[in-house]
Amino acid sequence: MNWAEFFSMGGRGFYVWGSYGAFAIAIIVEIILLRARVKHAQAEAMAEMLAEKSKGGAR
Amino acid sequence: MSLYKYASPAAFYPLAGKLIPWFAGLATIFGIIGVYLGPFAAPTDYQQGEVYRILFIHVPAASIGMFIYVVMAIYGVLALTFNTRLSAMMMEALAPTGAIFTGLALWTGSMWGKPTWGTYWVWDARVTSTLILLFLYIGYMALVNAIEDKKRADKAGALLVIVGSVNIPIIHYSVTWWNTLHQGASVTVTAAPKMASVMLTPMLSIGIACWLYAIAISLVRVRAIILEREHGRNAAWVTAEFATTKGVAAS
Amino acid sequence: MKIAIDVQNSGETPDNAPERGFLVALARDVKLAARSKGEVIQALAFFIVVASLFPLAIGPESALLKRIAPGVVWVAALLSVLLTLPRLFANDYADGTLEQLALSVYPLPVIVLGKIVAHWLMAGLPLALLSPLLGLQFGLESRELVVLFASLMLGTPVLSMIGAIGAALTLGVRGGSILLALLVLPLYIPVLIFGAGAVEQAMVALDFSANLSLLGAILLLGGLVVPFAAAAAVKISLD
């Protein structure tokens, strides 16, 4: 089986790859968005921690 | 005793952190196997041609989309009866993934439906129920996001999901009934034909991969939620956590 | 509560018996609504206007209009009830009365049930009473009009009940009314299906009793469960 044949999926390539593609995109987008959320939360927690530390040092 | 310990976000955070690589790693392995067996290796179906390969992802998406709502309802009961914050956080962590899988079930279903039934959308009982399930997810997320007070948002969300889950059988029954009443007007939809084991194996491995992925991503999200919520209120353990993992303590 | 009942003189209902809580809440809300009759009339007018939009949008072909009449009337009723839901709790929440009611001697579910019944009397019942008129405009026959009326009589209380849970959960929340619609409308679907379905069955001369029985069953089930769920929702919002 050659690649062109594989991608055409017997003429149904649009539907098959439209499904798998949407699946992949959804998961990738979810991971990217979540990674941004995690980074943000960590940065905020870290900032707070450092602020606490400097406050403690000043006392 | 040891299990109860993990009902506290502070104790659960590092545990989840240890579990995530396992779930994510196994999900990747099963995903690769499934995607190799599914679109590549499985033979062409003599009835449906190549289109049936969509079912390898459609069926897992639909079942996970449904199951996550049930899991959320169970967490909702825990959240309301035992007043555990972690349960509500788990609900919040699961909802987006449940909604995504439900949306994907609808999308892949319509991509399968066009070549099979000749139309992208059929007001079939299962399709309609899935659409309503998506609305329930959206409603939950909208409610939890709209309420500023997190404690109230947790409980309100839990109650909403419990009410929703009690309604799901009624909704499903009503939609099925409605569909039989109007059957004459719509395309007759038969269940997916039975699959041979060469076709079952890829679906199973993709299914397992999706399960593991859903668990892993929810754990990542619940960790983010714990961090977001706890760092302002009770920073001690967060500080300790970061000190050990990021080596900030040395500075 | 038992002690209080013993103290009361026999014959009359004791002051803090649960059923009195129901009546107090019911009478209070009805009285408040009677003072602002405008809102009831507005909801009715909205019901008629929405239903009248369909012939204008679709065209005056009578066979088609008759075919869609049950659905149109039911959707219009649904939306009209939806618009009135915020006033179930919002005013009492804003001026602190709801908190007082929650702390009163009466059990909260009973009070909430009283408020739900009051809401139905003001928002659901008028729609049911007016529905035959709308049905006539869409060319329904007398038998179908009776079924339409019956389905609304059984179904609109359920709309008030489910709506009460949503209204309580969204109390004081930003953009509450759209959120309320988003929460409540999916849960309204069974009522819509069975309600409109009953009229459709009657139109094709089939047995419509199953639909009405199902609506009745939902109503009974809801009456048992919803007061507790809605009371829990009120408590969550008050905390």
Side-chain angles (χ1 to χ4, degrees), chain B residues 139 146 148 152 177 181-182, chain C residues 169 171 174 200-201 211 237:
Chain B
E148 309 233 318
R152 182 183 157 189
W177 191 92
L181 178 68
H182 296 271
Chain C
L169 286 177
L171 275 176
R174 268 180 299 112
E200 278 179 38
Q201 297 278 65
N211 285 52
S237 293

Side-chain angles (χ1 to χ4, degrees), chain B residues 80 132 135-136 138-140 142-143 145-149 152 155-156 159-160 163-164 167 170-171 173-175 177-178 181-182, chain C residues 67 93 165 168-171 173-174 179 182-183 186-187 189-190 193-194 197 200-201 211 214 218 221 229 232-233 236-237 239:
Chain B
L80 285 188
I132 297 168
F135 293 156
L136 294 180
I138 293 171
Y140 166 80
L143 179 70
N145 280 326
I147 300 177
E148 309 233 318
D149 175 13
R152 182 183 157 189
K155 288 186 178 173
L159 185 72
L160 181 73
V163 170
N167 264 279
I170 302 175
I171 292 173
Y173 174 75
S174 71
V175 170
W177 191 92
W178 159 82
L181 178 68
H182 296 271
Chain C
R67 170 79 190 75
Y93 177 73
I165 300 175
L169 286 177
T170 53
L171 275 176
V173 173
R174 268 180 299 112
L179 181 61
L182 200 58
L183 301 187
L187 302 178
I189 288 168
I193 289 175
F194 294 133
E200 278 179 38
Q201 297 278 65
N211 285 52
L214 284 167
I218 294 178
L221 195 77
I236 288 169
S237 293
D239 273 349

Side-chain angles (χ1 to χ4, degrees), chain B residues 115-133:
Chain B
T116 315
W117 302 334
T119 166
Y120 282 110
W121 189 268
V122 172
W123 289 96
D124 152 67
R126 261 191 289 179
V127 179
T128 313
S129 298
T130 310
L131 181 67
I132 297 168
L133 181 64

Side-chain angles (χ1 to χ4, degrees), chain C residues 32-192:
Chain C
L32 280 176
R35 218 177 287 163
S36 52
K37 289 185 202 72
E39 286 180 25
V40 177
I41 295 164
Q42 280 165 22
L44 266 180
F46 176 84
F47 175 56
I48 297 167
V49 169
V50 168
S52 313
L53 289 178
F54 283 85
L56 296 171
I58 290 168
E61 190 203 325
S62 54
L64 178 61
L65 286 180
K66 188 179 173 184
R67 170 79 190 75
I68 62 166
V72 168
V73 175
W74 258 97
V75 168
L78 219 99
L79 295 177
S80 177
V81 169
L82 183 71
L83 282 189
T84 60
L85 283 178
R87 77 169 175 234
L88 194 52
F89 295 116
N91 289 340
D92 287 346
Y93 177 73
D95 66 11
T97 318
L98 197 59
E99 207 147 348
Q100 299 282 318
L101 287 172
L103 295 172
S104 73
V105 287
Y106 309 117
L108 190 55
V110 172
I111 294 174
V112 168
L113 184 63
K115 291 179 82 67
I116 291 171
V117 172
H119 178 263
W120 176 71
L121 288 174
M122 298 299 141
L125 181 63
L127 301 183
L129 293 174
L130 201 73
S131 63
L133 213 64
L134 268 184
L136 273 180
Q137 286 187 307
F138 281 82
L140 294 185
E141 319 271 318
S142 56
R143 191 174 100 109
E144 295 146 17
L145 292 176
V146 173
V147 178
L148 178 65
F149 172 74
S151 70
L152 280 165
M153 285 297 278
L154 288 170
T156 46
V158 182
L159 301 184
S160 294
M161 288 193 228
I162 298 171
I165 300 175
L169 286 177
T170 53
L171 275 176
V173 173
R174 268 180 299 112
S177 55
I178 292 180
L179 181 61
L180 177 59
L182 200 58
L183 301 187
V184 159
L185 285 178
L187 302 178
Y188 277 178
I189 288 168
V191 181
L192 174 72

Side-chain angles (χ1 to χ4, degrees), chain A residues 6 9 12 14-16 18-20 22-23 27 30-31 34 37-38 41-42 44-46 48-49 53, chain B residues 39-40 50-51 53-54 56 97 100 104 107 111 114-115 120 213 217 220-221 225 227-228 231-232 239 248:
Chain A
F6 174 68
M9 279 283 163
R12 306 294 200 193
F14 171 73
Y15 305 110
V16 174
S19 298
Y20 280 84
F23 211 92
I27 286 175
E30 188 183 17
I31 290 172
L34 185 55
R37 184 175 177 178
V38 168
Q42 284 178 340
E44 209 143 275
M46 192 85 84
E48 183 143 329
M49 192 183 86
K53 212 171 236 182
Chain B
F40 290 86
E50 306 289 350
V51 186
R53 294 180 199 277
I54 295 173
F56 295 148
T97 301
I100 287 171
L104 281 173
W107 176 271
M111 289 306 237
K114 179 65 180 168
Y120 282 110
Y213 167 78
I217 197 108
V220 175
R221 193 176 287 114
I225 292 170
L227 260 191
E228 286 164 3
H231 75 76
T239 312
V248 186

Side-chain angles (χ1 to χ4, degrees), chain B residues 149-208:
Chain B
D149 175 13
K150 283 295 162 207
K151 221 173 149 190
R152 182 183 157 189
D154 282 353
K155 288 186 178 173
L159 185 72
L160 181 73
V161 172
I162 293 169
V163 170
S165 67
V166 170
N167 264 279
I168 280 180
I170 302 175
I171 292 173
H172 186 77
Y173 174 75
S174 71
V175 170
T176 311
W177 191 92
W178 159 82
N179 194 247
T180 50
L181 178 68
H182 296 271
Q183 195 57 267
S186 70
V187 183
T188 325
V189 175
T190 49
K194 275 193 187 140
M195 281 201 247
S197 69
V198 262
M199 303 178 178
L200 206 65
T201 323
M203 190 188 314
L204 269 179
S205 43
I206 293 184
I208 292 169

